[in-house]
Amino acid sequence: MYRYRAVKLPCKFEKHMLHIPYGLLAETLIHGNWEIITVTTDISLDQLLVERLAETGTRLQLDPIHLTDVIMDVIL
């Protein structure tokens, strides 16, 4: 089972930025614990877009090996 979450990325200059980049965290359920598989950074400044990607990836159980292709299809 896979779970995707939108994550706000730490930024050294966050106090001075008007926008915060968001990425996706991919996790898998192993023996009752969520284990991180990968983090994809700087997908978009649009938090809602990344949250929708996370929800869709989780609902459709997107295999993380296809994550880059899906992201490229959405942002290009």
Side-chain angles (χ1 to χ4, degrees), residues 10-38:
C11 181
K12 185 175 180 181
F13 303 108
E14 188 172 317
K15 286 191 239 178
H16 306 292
M17 291 181 64
L18 296 175
H19 302 287
I20 307 293
Y22 291 88
L24 277 176
L25 175 73
E27 300 172 300
T28 189
L29 190 60
I30 299 176
H31 304 297
N33 296 310
W34 288 103
E35 307 261 340
I36 296 172
I37 299 171
T38 188

Side-chain angles (χ1 to χ4, degrees), residues 8-9 15-16 21 26 32 36-37 44-45 60 63 72-73:
K8 180 166 57 169
L9 302 168
K15 286 191 239 178
H16 306 292
I36 296 172
I37 299 171
S44 178
L45 298 175
L60 297 177
D63 189 311
M72 296 304 284
D73 286 346

